[in-house]
């Protein structure tokens, strides 16, 4: 499977630069194009949020539409400026399958509905790490993980120059991890180095890192196995992140929420710990 369609969702007032940088660095390695999707609530969503707070007049609806148009124009201009700086073709007349270029699309509606439909006709959704001050970031990540059915790339504080220089896969044999590997074969094949990390937690582990390495070899991917010992009561997520950083990983890949989300919220879990603490980009699938 080729990864040719990278989706970068954005919204009014957001700076998409880090996500665009990550998309470009992947796109040039994978010969993929970058689709930027601007998602803004329509007048009906805004009015629903305002219901009961003030009288609704036609002027209010017009103001909402004008504000959305202005925000979209600002976002499009920012993308064009980024494309000019990075020498990325913007909305080319001829769209080659093996070329990296950027497109701009505007959608109106709730983030969850719009991103679900758009993400399902792309290969990878690129989102920011959730920021409490930017509700869109958390909604976008949740939608990408739980509704789209494609891998999601969460961009942290830093964007390595080459995201595929060293990919570390956190492997536990879960269904979610299996889906991620299966959907990311093309990306893993393009990586310069791949390491499979398996955390031993004192419980019997049937899945072995060496078995995944053997499977990947059939796809032309030479991966090294690494066993990580985690002490009783220690944080598996923190241990995986520390191991990835020690090995100079440029991208961490793991299956997301192998336990229920409620359980992870109440008791803690690997996915939650990684989302909250990762500085490097993280590739996930649920």
């Amino acid at each position: 499977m080729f990864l040719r369609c990278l989706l970068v969702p954005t919204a009014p007032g957001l700076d998409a630069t880090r996500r665009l940088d990550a998309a470009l660095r992947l796109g040039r390695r994978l010969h993929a194009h970058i689709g930027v999707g601007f998602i803004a609530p329509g007048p009906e969503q805004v009015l629903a949020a305002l219901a009961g707070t003030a009288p609704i007049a036609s002027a209010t609806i017009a103001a909402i539409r004008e504000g959305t148009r202005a925000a979209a124009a600002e976002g499009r201009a920012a993308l064009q400026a980024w494309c000019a700086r990075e020498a990325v073709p913007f909305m080319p007349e001829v769209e080659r399958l093996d070329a990296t270029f950027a497109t701009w699309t505007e959608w109106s509606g709730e983030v969850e509905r719009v991103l679900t439909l758009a993400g399902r006709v792309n290969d990878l959704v690129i989102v920011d790490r959730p920021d409490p001050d930017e509700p869109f970031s958390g909604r976008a990540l949740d939608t990408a993980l739980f509704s789209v059915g494609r891998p999601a790339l969460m961009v942290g504080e830093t964007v390595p120059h080459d995201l595929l220089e060293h990919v570390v896969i956190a492997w536990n044999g879960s269904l979610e991890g299996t889906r991620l590997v299966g959907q990311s074969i093309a990306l893993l094949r393009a990586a310069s180095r791949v390491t499979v990390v398996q955390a031993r937690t004192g419980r019997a582990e049937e899945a072995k890192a060496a078995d995944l390495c053997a499977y990947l070899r059939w796809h032309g991917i030479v991966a090294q196995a690494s066993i990580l010992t985690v002490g009783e009561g220690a944080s598996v997520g923190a241990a995986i992140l520390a191991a990835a950083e020690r090995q100079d990983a440029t991208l961490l890949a793991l299956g997301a929420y192998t336990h229920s989300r409620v359980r992870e919220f109440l008791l803690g879990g690997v996915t939650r710990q990684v989302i909250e603490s990762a500085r490097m980009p993280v590739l996930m699938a649920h």
Side-chain angles (χ1 to χ4, degrees):
M1 165 181 176
F2 293 106
L3 269 68
R4 288 283 170 78
C5 306
L6 312 181
L7 176 61
V8 179
T10 191
L14 295 187
D15 182 1
T17 302
R18 282 188 304 180
R19 282 169 287 145
L20 289 171
D21 289 345
L24 178 59
R25 292 165 193 179
L26 276 181
R28 285 180 169 160
R29 289 288 298 272
L30 301 172
H31 305 290
H33 78 267
I34 304 164
V36 180
F38 177 85
I39 306 173
E44 59 277 11
Q45 285 84 38
V46 177
L47 293 177
L50 296 175
T53 62
I56 304 302
S58 58
T60 303
I61 297 175
I64 293 170
R65 287 175 175 158
E66 180 55 35
T68 299
R69 281 194 292 268
E74 182 180 351
R76 182 184 175 106
L79 174 60
Q80 288 178 289
W82 176 85
C83 287
R85 289 195 306 271
E86 302 294 339
V88 177
F90 176 73
M91 303 288 280
E93 292 183 5
V94 179
E95 299 179 350
R96 290 181 49 181
L97 293 179
D98 60 348
T100 299
F101 56 89
T103 60
W104 172 265
T105 306
E106 297 173 16
W107 294 300
S108 176
E110 293 288 353
V111 174
E112 291 78 7
R113 181 186 65 82
V114 173
L115 183 53
T116 294
L117 295 176
R120 288 176 179 174
V121 289
N122 281 274
D123 296 315
L124 179 69
V125 181
I126 302 176
V127 298
D128 279 323
R129 193 172 76 184
D131 181 346
D133 295 327
E134 294 180 350
F136 178 88
S137 59
R139 294 174 69 183
L141 176 60
D142 283 353
T143 302
L145 286 179
F146 292 102
S147 300
V148 172
R150 303 285 190 173
L153 176 66
M154 183 187 75
V155 179
E157 297 172 4
T158 60
V159 181
H161 179 71
D162 181 1
L163 277 74
L164 301 183
E165 181 178 345
H166 184 196
V167 178
V168 169
I169 304 172
W171 179 248
N172 63 357
S174 68
L175 176 61
E176 293 79 9
T178 302
R179 286 173 176 158
L180 176 64
V181 170
Q183 293 178 333
S184 306
I185 287 294
L187 183 149
L188 296 172
R189 190 181 292 121
S192 301
R193 180 184 173 197
V194 176
T195 299
V196 178
V197 171
Q198 179 186 11
R200 291 201 183 281
T201 60
R203 292 175 298 178
E205 295 284 356
E206 295 182 0
K208 295 181 174 60
D211 292 340
L212 179 59
C213 291
Y215 165 78
L216 292 174
R217 195 173 188 88
W218 284 101
H219 290 272
I221 301 163
V222 178
Q224 301 296 318
S226 176
I227 305 302
L228 178 63
T229 300
V230 181
E232 186 69 28
S235 166
V236 176
I240 289 172
L241 282 173
E245 290 175 354
R246 284 196 305 270
Q247 298 183 50
D248 296 321
T250 53
L251 179 67
L252 175 64
L254 80 160
Y257 293 107
T258 59
H259 297 293
S260 77
R261 194 177 182 196
V262 172
R263 181 183 184 278
E264 293 223 359
F265 178 77
L266 295 175
L267 304 178
V270 174
T271 307
R272 181 182 171 193
Q273 293 157 357
V274 168
I275 289 175
E276 291 178 350
S277 305
R279 292 190 293 269
M280 69 185 72
V282 182
L283 185 69
M284 293 180 281
H286 177 66

